[in-house]
Amino acid sequence: MLELLVLVGSNNPTSMNRELAAYAAGLMKAKVTLLDMQAFDDIPLYNPRRQQEEGFPPAIQALFEHIQRQDALMIASPEYNGTIPAALKNVIDWLSRIQMAFLAQKPTLFLSTSPGPNGGATNLEHMAGLAPRWGAQVTGTYSLGKFHDHFDANAKKLAEPEYQRLLAQVQGLERAAKAPLLQVA
């Protein structure tokens, strides 16, 4: 069975991005681990001096090792002021100091949602553009604007045609995760 890490870039326990990510992960036949930024609340802001003097926080080292064991990743992130939330950016900063390509060529799907019409699309474009630098094999992005108009929180169901759009992205991630890795000669 595929191993899927779902990383939610919000430290809000009631995050709609967490809801969307959990729903999307449920569409895939995989053993799922879902982590949100609450797990990293105690991680200090990245500082080269701190890294040199104290090393890497144990939670960051554990996350790096966990990523290496995965077949695929989903990263669901809200958009704060048009970009990556500070908590997620801090985790990325720490991980990239262990290894710049910390996503290890894992197939990665980026998701975002918001109550507004943009659905975090600006942040998704930003992250998907940076992700190859982090070693991601970006399989796609999915942005859902007006979350509450499209997602029934009680039934845990996404309305059409959004369901089909999301399903296509999840199936693309699953296909990429099952595909053999190409060896470069």
Side-chain angles (χ1 to χ4, degrees):
M1 180 171 276
L2 292 176
E3 300 234 3
L4 174 68
L5 174 61
V6 179
L7 193 59
V8 180
S10 174
N11 57 1
N12 177 352
T14 61
S15 168
M16 63 185 68
N17 281 278
R18 182 178 175 63
E19 282 189 80
L20 178 63
Y23 179 79
L27 298 175
M28 197 167 156
K29 293 177 185 157
K31 179 183 172 193
V32 176
T33 302
L34 193 145
L35 291 174
D36 61 30
M37 292 299 104
Q38 291 178 87
F40 305 99
D41 274 349
D42 295 333
I43 302 299
L45 287 175
Y46 178 77
N47 177 311
R49 179 199 48 78
R50 178 177 284 129
Q51 176 195 339
Q52 186 177 32
E53 292 175 3
E54 301 171 20
F56 293 98
I60 293 295
Q61 188 66 48
L63 176 59
F64 176 82
E65 292 167 8
H66 192 79
I67 289 169
Q68 307 314 300
R69 294 189 303 268
Q70 300 307 292
D71 297 305
L73 292 101
M74 279 185 196
I75 300 176
S77 177
E79 177 177 299
Y80 293 171
N81 298 310
T83 194
I84 303 169
L88 177 57
K89 177 68 169 70
N90 189 46
V91 168
I92 290 168
D93 288 343
W94 276 107
L95 288 169
S96 70
R97 295 317 183 265
I98 295 174
Q99 178 178 310
M100 178 53 84
F102 62 90
L103 294 178
Q105 298 307 308
K106 306 295 180 179
T108 306
L109 173 62
F110 288 90
L111 312 170
S112 188
T113 190
S114 72
N118 189 38
T122 305
N123 181 39
L124 278 183
E125 183 180 335
H126 185 194
M127 285 198 311
L130 290 170
R133 167 181 257 168
W134 307 327
Q137 176 193 342
V138 179
T139 63
T141 63
Y142 176 80
S143 172
L144 177 64
K146 299 186 178 183
F147 177 77
H148 300 294
D149 292 350
H150 298 288
F151 189 80
D152 181 337
N154 294 324
K156 302 290 185 212
K157 185 175 180 182
L158 189 59
E160 295 288 352
E162 291 300 331
Y163 170 78
Q164 292 301 324
R165 285 184 56 236
L166 178 59
L167 182 61
Q169 292 295 332
V170 170
Q171 289 172 336
L173 176 64
E174 193 166 13
R175 278 191 304 277
K178 290 179 178 178
L181 291 175
L182 296 175
Q183 299 296 323
V184 179

